[in-house]
Amino acid sequence: MRLHHLTLQAFGPFAGTHTVDFDALSADGLFLLHGDTGAGKSTLFTAICFALYGEPPVDRDLTLRSHHASTDVLTQVTLDVTIAGHRLLIDRVPQQMRPKKNGTGDTAQKAETRLSRWTTDSLGQGHWEPASKSHQEAGKEIKDLLGMSRTQFCQVVLLPQNEFTKFLYSDASKRRDLLGKLFHTDRYAFIERWLNDHSRTTQKNRDATRDEVLHLAARIHQAAGPDLKSQHDAPTSDAAHTLTGPALTWAQDLIQASQADALTAQGDAETAKKNQLTHQGREAAARELHRQQTTHAAAREQLDLLDEQTSHQETLDQRREQARRAQQLAPLLHAATTARADHTRAQDSESAARSRLLPEHVALEATDLATAGQHMRDDIAVLNTLLPEEATLHQLTADLKRIDAERQDFTVQQRTARDWLEQETTQRTALEGRREAARQAEEESRRHQGQLETLNDRVGAAERRDAHLAQITTTEQRLATAQKDTEQAAQTHIDIRRQRTEGMAAELAASLTDGTPCPVCGSCSHPAPAQAADGQPTREDEQAAEKTHQRAQQQRDAIAAQLQQLRENAASASGEAGDTPLADLKTEHEALTTQLADALQQAADRRTVEEELLKLDREHATMTELDSIATAGLSARNATYDTQSQRQAELTEKLQTARGTASTLAARIDDLTRTADHLEQAAEASRTAATAAQALHTRTSEATDAATLQGFDTLAAADEALLNEQDLNNIDEEINQWRQARAAHQAVLDDPALQEATAQPAADVDAAASQRAAADDQHAQAVTAASTAQTRTTELTDLATTLGEAVKRLETLEQAHNTARHLADLATGNASGTRVRMQLEAYVLAARLEQVVTAANTRLYLMSEGRYTLRHSDHQAAHGARSGLGLEITDSWTGRPRKTDTLSGGESFFASLSLALGLADVVTHEAGGNPLDTLFIDEGFGTLDDDTLHNVLDVLDSLRAHDRTVGVISHIPELRRRITQRLHVKKGPTGSTLAHLTEAAE
């Protein structure tokens, strides 16, 4: 991976847009990132990690957006990088809040990712070609090219401050956590967990099968019962070895004992069956004798009862003979009866039909009745031709009603529209007045706004004016006081000078010495020197008074200057505010503010009024259209109504004549139809009654003659002797049944076998049944015993088969569990005979640690000048803890290993740095061998002396010899003097800035 350019915008401490040219910065293969603490040196690596993985290096919630940036600038990171031979341009925008494009407030800016690839066209021209805008697709492609996770990348590309010193000093468990994340050895931990889970699963399955075998053994013991005994012991849970082969042997022994018991029970059942058959034959013979004796006695009794019915049977025979003679007259008798009934019904129908006739038709003969009915039919035909005109009249009436309703609707609409249009003028005038008032209020508010701004300035100036005037008054008083103090100090100075002048002779005399010339007269003798008066001031008193006078003058002058400045300020403020008192200005300000608020409130009505005017215009158009439509519709409906009203009157007069007293033509037609029907029915009934009378006379004569020939005196006697077919059949059946029953019972009495049985003693059925029941019980008990024995044998055989299957599964599960437990113990380091208690994951990590130590020693040898060598240790840990990730350091000066925590600060740094570089090499190889051309080292150089620092930099130089670029993040001044390519990060109140420096610092 080689970095080319990194552009930050509103990211971390960087408020604006900053670009890092790594191509220029990496020109010497080694560059330095330096600056103040908190300036944002590590933020550059955070931006690189965010561009590649879409997340910062740490898992905690890190705020990416700069607090110094303007709200309209989006946080954005763009990285130009080459990974595995592919040059990519990655542009990421994290989720953040931004101002709304329309309106006020903020809205959420979604996270964005844009991935582009540098490609060359057919002409050799290179350009960026968009590859993806999906977070997932871009992240997967970048991670696949890098071949490592975000944790691995942050560990091997940025060698963080103090992290590998902790790794050097930490115990095996902490090293395991770090190496496990870097090398993804959690899959080996998964294997350990899977083996343990598999071992527990096989144990659970084995235990379940053991329980199944014990359960089957308990069922076999229960099925065998207390009678069966075995020479082998039953399997138990305390002895696991008895749950396989010995269990099967015990079960087979019980099956053999059960089979022998079943053979004995089967023989007893066969003997009982023979005894049962013998007693069943004896019981059958006794029951047959009893049946024959009972049958003979019953036949004798029934025959006697039948002989007692002989006279009744002779009467039935005579009644049957009369019925057979009357049966020959049945058709004639039936015809006469039918003719009589028909004649009666015809007379009743004629009476009913004539009762429905009109009075003038009741006495008419049948022919006259038919003629009157035909006349009625002719009138009905004429009326039917007028029915359509009646329907037309109904339709005209309905149409006139509908048209009248429509006329009323149009009238209401026309009145509504015209009323609204009449009121519109007043409403529009009011709205226009409100709009004009709002417009004037808007202009007035703008005028008040300007006046208020001017008045605000005047109020401020008046406040300053009054404040200055108050200060002027105070300062004038102070100046007066200072003037008095100055004058008093001047007078005091003058008085002291005068007094000193006057007493100058005494002052000079005080300095005279015998033999020394007088400074005034030159005499060396001083016979009468002047004497100083009491309180005579000295030179020091005069000088003090003079200084006091000067200080008073200075203070007076300062106050005068201050007073002059205050007067100038007051004059300036008065020029702005005028002479108006501050209270009046504030009162005017409050009034103007109130006027402005009122004007703004009234001006706000303009939008509402304009909306109401627009609504009024729309309603005006609607009402105008409604008036036009209603006027046209009303005119058309009036013309139609007049035309159809005239036609309705003509049809009404014509149909009233045809209806007569009926309400409708249909009612008139119904009345006439009903009368015609009654006339026709009465004519038909009269003709039917005459025909029925003639038929009755004929049938009665024929039946009387036939009855005389059959021996009946009258038709009534013949009719009384006549029986229906069912009654005659019943008499025949009763006579035949009596004769057949008598013959059957006589045949039973004549049977020789029954006569022989009657001669024998009475049969004892109860004794024979009791003996047969005892034989049945004995046989049932024997069969039950045999069936139970056979069922037990079958059940034991089935259970033994199931037991065999369970034992077979148990043997397989025992072997599988032993194998799984052994593998789990090996993976967790708990297997017996294991020299080192090392888990599988720790074993893999130990191998990786050996590779890291080997790679680290190549650098550590140079940095320590051959003194130190790292060594991986897998010695047993204290208190039986897990082993495999120990780390020691060998000192060639003593030849003995040392603990890593005995190294000094500088030694710990270059040892940790060697480990970090070695780990970077191993992780890179583990990730697929993609070269990491850029490496960052964060701090730690301050613990090195000059020689060691020189050795460490030599090692870093060796890294760039392999075409790798190393970026050092440090505060050390020595590094700024030795590394020419430097990126200076400078912090400030408005955010951090970047500067690329290409000269070594002096």
Side-chain angles (χ1 to χ4, degrees):
M1 181 193 75
R2 178 173 294 278
L3 305 176
H4 299 292
H5 298 88
L6 174 67
T7 301
L8 309 176
Q9 179 175 283
F11 191 88
F14 300 99
T17 302
H18 303 272
T19 300
V20 180
D21 187 351
F22 282 104
D23 288 337
L25 196 61
S26 306
D28 295 340
L30 184 66
F31 62 89
L32 175 67
L33 274 71
H34 66 96
D36 299 331
T37 300
K41 299 185 294 299
S42 299
T43 302
L44 296 177
F45 185 76
T46 300
I48 293 172
C49 183
F50 175 72
L52 292 173
Y53 292 94
E55 296 177 349
V58 293
D59 292 328
R60 60 185 173 86
D61 187 12
L62 186 65
T63 302
L64 301 180
R65 178 161 180 82
S66 174
H67 295 296
H68 303 285
S70 175
T71 57
D72 58 348
V73 178
L74 286 180
T75 298
Q76 187 172 358
V77 176
T78 303
L79 178 64
D80 180 3
V81 61
T82 297
I83 307 174
H86 299 271
R87 186 160 182 178
L88 305 175
L89 183 66
I90 308 167
D91 189 7
R92 289 190 188 268
V93 175
Q95 182 176 349
Q96 57 194 289
M97 299 302 293
R98 62 168 176 80
K100 293 182 178 179
K101 295 181 179 179
N102 297 319
T104 60
D106 295 336
T107 185
Q109 167 68 43
K110 294 183 179 179
E112 297 179 0
T113 299
R114 291 181 290 274
L115 177 65
S116 303
R117 190 187 302 273
W118 184 259
T119 58
T120 305
D121 56 19
S122 57
L123 299 178
Q125 299 293 326
H127 63 279
W128 290 110
E129 181 177 347
S132 176
K133 290 185 178 180
S134 169
H135 301 294
Q136 290 78 11
E137 291 179 0
K140 183 178 184 304
E141 182 172 355
I142 294 170
K143 187 175 180 180
D144 291 344
L145 291 175
L146 283 172
M148 62 181 69
S149 66
R150 176 172 60 95
T151 303
Q152 290 177 315
F153 176 82
C154 296
Q155 198 71 49
V156 302
V157 176
L158 174 68
L159 307 183
Q161 178 180 358
N162 295 328
E163 285 296 322
F164 275 88
T165 303
K166 295 178 183 177
F167 180 78
L168 185 68
Y169 292 159
S170 62
D171 55 18
S173 63
K174 294 182 179 179
R175 291 195 188 102
R176 176 173 179 169
D177 293 339
L178 175 60
L179 294 175
K181 292 179 182 178
L182 291 177
F183 292 107
H184 294 296
T185 56
D186 52 349
R187 57 186 180 273
Y188 299 104
F190 172 76
I191 292 174
E192 293 177 25
R193 292 194 299 272
W194 185 89
L195 288 174
N196 277 317
D197 293 343
H198 181 60
S199 174
R200 287 192 291 270
T201 300
T202 55
Q203 181 180 3
K204 181 179 178 181
N205 294 337
R206 182 204 64 183
D207 293 343
T209 308
R210 281 183 177 180
D211 293 341
E212 183 181 358
V213 171
L214 289 171
H215 178 66
L216 289 171
R219 290 181 60 189
I220 291 174
H221 191 278
Q222 181 181 6
D227 299 335
L228 293 183
K229 303 296 181 183
S230 173
Q231 59 182 350
H232 301 283
D233 294 333
T236 62
S237 58
D238 298 333
H241 69 279
T242 63
L243 298 178
T244 53
L248 295 177
T249 302
W250 168 75
Q252 290 297 328
D253 193 21
L254 289 176
I255 291 174
Q256 291 176 1
S258 179
Q259 289 174 343
D261 188 56
L263 289 174
T264 301
Q266 184 65 33
D268 294 342
E270 292 176 354
T271 301
K273 181 64 176 176
K274 293 178 181 179
N275 184 50
Q276 181 190 36
L277 292 175
T278 300
H279 285 89
Q280 285 178 351
R282 292 175 182 176
E283 181 189 19
R287 289 186 179 282
E288 178 61 22
L289 178 61
H290 177 72
R291 183 191 67 78
Q292 291 176 345
Q293 292 175 347
T294 302
T295 301
H296 187 274
R300 178 74 272 171
E301 182 180 359
Q302 291 297 325
L303 185 60
D304 292 343
L305 291 174
L306 291 174
D307 288 343
E308 292 176 358
Q309 300 176 5
T310 301
S311 59
H312 174 68
Q313 292 297 321
E314 291 175 351
T315 303
L316 286 178
D317 188 48
Q318 293 175 0
R319 180 77 177 86
R320 182 177 60 179
E321 178 63 23
Q322 290 179 352
R324 285 176 176 173
R325 286 189 286 113
Q327 189 72 26
Q328 295 177 6
L329 300 174
L332 295 176
L333 293 174
H334 178 69
T337 301
T338 301
R340 189 178 299 107
D342 291 343
H343 180 258
T344 301
R345 283 195 300 273
Q347 285 180 331
D348 294 341
S349 296
E350 183 182 10
S351 298
R354 288 185 179 275
S355 67
R356 293 191 291 271
L357 296 177
L358 296 175
E360 62 268 22
H361 298 147
V362 172
L364 296 179
E365 297 293 333
T367 303
D368 297 334
L369 289 173
T371 301
Q374 185 59 42
H375 292 164
M376 290 286 182
R377 296 295 179 187
D378 295 339
D379 294 339
I380 290 171
V382 174
L383 292 175
N384 280 327
T385 59
L386 297 177
L387 283 175
E389 293 187 1
E390 188 177 43
T392 301
L393 179 61
H394 290 320
Q395 183 62 42
L396 283 173
T397 303
D399 290 345
L400 287 172
K401 184 177 181 181
R402 175 181 55 80
I403 292 170
D404 187 57
E406 290 177 356
R407 288 195 308 172
Q408 294 177 4
D409 290 341
F410 280 126
T411 301
V412 172
Q413 293 176 10
Q414 185 184 54
R415 185 181 305 110
T416 301
R418 292 182 178 179
D419 290 346
W420 189 93
L421 290 172
E422 289 176 359
Q423 297 173 1
E424 179 203 7
T425 303
T426 303
Q427 188 176 1
R428 183 179 297 276
T429 301
L431 289 174
E432 289 176 349
R434 284 175 57 192
R435 181 172 62 180
E436 179 61 24
R439 185 189 62 78
Q440 293 177 0
E442 186 175 355
E443 293 178 355
E444 185 177 358
S445 66
R446 287 195 291 269
R447 185 172 63 257
H448 288 336
Q449 187 70 36
Q451 293 174 354
L452 191 60
E453 292 175 357
T454 302
L455 190 57
N456 284 332
D457 295 339
R458 291 186 63 194
V459 169
E463 291 175 346
R464 294 195 304 275
R465 178 199 65 192
D466 292 351
H468 291 326
L469 291 175
Q471 291 175 354
I472 287 172
T473 302
T474 303
T475 306
E476 287 176 345
Q477 294 174 357
R478 288 174 54 210
L479 181 60
T481 302
Q483 184 69 34
K484 291 179 182 179
D485 293 341
T486 302
E487 293 174 355
Q488 183 177 358
Q491 185 63 43
T492 301
H493 181 214
I494 293 171
D495 291 343
I496 290 175
R497 176 178 291 179
R498 179 179 53 76
Q499 291 177 10
R500 183 170 173 246
T501 303
E502 292 176 353
M504 186 62 68
E507 184 178 345
L508 290 174
S511 62
L512 294 176
T513 304
D514 292 339
T516 303
C518 174
V520 178
C521 66
S523 174
C524 292
S525 63
H526 314 293
Q531 296 297 320
D534 293 337
Q536 175 67 29
T538 62
R539 179 181 181 85
E540 289 75 12
D541 293 336
E542 182 183 0
Q543 290 177 350
E546 183 179 9
K547 289 181 180 179
T548 300
H549 179 222
Q550 290 176 351
R551 284 196 300 271
Q553 285 180 329
Q554 292 174 355
Q555 185 175 3
R556 180 199 62 191
D557 295 342
I559 293 174
Q562 183 180 2
L563 179 60
Q564 181 62 30
Q565 183 64 42
L566 286 173
R567 286 172 176 169
E568 292 177 358
N569 292 340
S572 176
S574 296
E576 296 180 20
D579 297 331
T580 306
L582 177 61
D584 295 343
L585 290 175
K586 288 185 175 180
T587 301
E588 184 180 355
H589 183 276
E590 293 176 357
L592 191 58
T593 302
T594 303
Q595 293 174 7
L596 176 60
D598 294 340
L600 289 175
Q601 183 177 3
Q602 189 174 2
D605 188 44
R606 181 173 182 178
R607 183 177 182 87
T608 304
V609 170
E610 289 178 348
E611 292 178 355
E612 292 181 2
L613 283 172
L614 290 175
K615 180 180 178 182
L616 190 65
D617 291 339
R618 292 193 294 269
E619 291 180 353
H620 175 81
T622 301
M623 290 301 175
T624 301
E625 182 180 2
L626 179 63
D627 181 47
S628 299
I629 294 173
T631 301
L634 182 60
S635 177
R637 296 305 185 278
N638 287 334
T640 303
Y641 188 86
D642 294 340
T643 301
Q644 294 189 1
S645 294
Q646 183 178 359
R647 187 180 177 191
Q648 181 194 30
E650 296 173 353
L651 284 177
T652 300
E653 182 180 359
K654 179 178 179 181
L655 292 175
Q656 283 179 348
T657 302
R659 283 197 300 266
T661 59
S663 59
T664 63
L665 277 179
R668 177 63 176 165
I669 292 173
D670 289 342
D671 291 342
L672 294 177
T673 301
R674 191 161 42 252
T675 302
D677 291 341
H678 291 165
L679 288 171
E680 292 172 354
Q681 291 170 0
E684 181 63 25
S686 179
R687 287 192 293 270
T688 301
T691 303
Q694 182 62 36
L696 175 61
H697 181 268
T698 301
R699 297 291 183 271
T700 302
S701 298
E702 293 175 351
T704 300
D705 295 342
T708 301
L709 293 176
Q710 291 293 334
F712 293 103
D713 297 336
T714 63
L715 287 178
D719 188 63
E720 182 180 359
L722 183 66
L723 294 175
N724 58 41
E725 192 67 27
Q726 182 63 38
D727 292 340
L728 187 59
N729 289 337
N730 290 339
I731 291 174
D732 287 341
E733 184 177 0
E734 183 178 354
I735 293 172
N736 292 334
Q737 286 179 353
W738 179 81
R739 290 177 180 178
Q740 290 173 0
R742 195 175 185 287
H745 290 310
Q746 187 62 47
V748 170
L749 293 176
D750 294 340
D751 187 354
L754 295 181
Q755 292 176 357
E756 182 181 356
T758 304
Q760 296 182 12
D764 191 353
V765 177
D766 293 338
S770 176
Q771 294 175 359
R772 196 269 308 166
D776 288 344
D777 292 340
Q778 182 181 4
H779 176 259
Q781 293 175 0
V783 170
T784 300
S787 176
T788 301
Q790 184 61 40
T791 301
R792 180 174 61 186
T793 301
T794 302
E795 184 177 1
L796 289 174
T797 302
D798 294 340
L799 289 173
T801 301
T802 306
L803 179 64
E805 296 173 353
V807 167
K808 185 176 180 180
R809 292 197 307 274
L810 179 59
E811 292 173 346
T812 303
L813 291 173
E814 290 279 6
Q815 183 178 1
H817 173 64
N818 292 335
T819 302
R821 183 68 264 166
H822 179 65
L823 290 175
D825 290 341
L826 285 177
T828 56
N830 292 324
S832 59
T834 303
R835 181 181 64 85
V836 179
R837 298 184 66 219
M838 186 181 298
Q839 293 175 280
L840 177 61
E841 183 181 12
Y843 178 80
V844 175
L845 290 176
R848 292 289 185 268
L849 184 56
E850 286 181 354
Q851 296 174 351
V852 171
V853 168
T854 300
N857 281 330
T858 59
R859 277 79 180 226
L860 181 59
Y861 183 82
L862 298 175
M863 293 183 188
S864 65
E865 296 180 339
R867 180 179 177 184
Y868 293 116
T869 304
L870 289 167
R871 187 169 71 88
H872 161 251
S873 171
D874 58 1
H875 291 315
Q876 183 77 17
H879 306 295
R882 301 295 182 183
S883 307
L885 296 177
L887 200 59
E888 297 176 344
I889 191 161
T890 301
D891 189 346
S892 63
W893 290 1
T894 63
R896 300 181 64 181
R898 294 168 53 184
K899 292 185 178 180
T900 56
D901 56 5
T902 62
L903 297 174
S904 66
E907 291 171 341
S908 298
F909 170 69
F910 62 66
S912 302
L913 180 58
S914 300
L915 271 175
L917 294 173
L919 184 63
D921 291 340
V922 175
V923 172
T924 301
H925 183 269
E926 176 75 10
N930 291 333
L932 296 175
D933 300 324
T934 305
L935 187 68
F936 292 88
I937 301 174
D938 189 2
E939 278 300 349
F941 295 92
T943 60
L944 304 179
D945 56 48
D946 291 340
D947 293 337
T948 305
L949 179 60
H950 178 74
N951 293 335
V952 171
L953 291 177
D954 287 342
V955 172
L956 297 181
D957 284 337
S958 68
L959 294 178
R960 64 180 179 174
H962 295 85
D963 200 22
R964 295 178 75 175
T965 298
V966 179
V968 177
I969 305 174
S970 178
H971 298 273
I972 307 304
E974 179 63 24
L975 294 178
R976 294 201 294 271
R977 289 191 292 270
R978 298 188 55 171
I979 300 176
T980 58
Q981 297 291 339
R982 293 181 289 121
L983 186 63
H984 183 214
V985 185
K986 184 178 181 181
K987 65 180 180 181
T990 60
S992 297
T993 58
L994 296 172
H996 182 191
L997 308 177
T998 58
E999 296 293 337
E1002 293 298 334

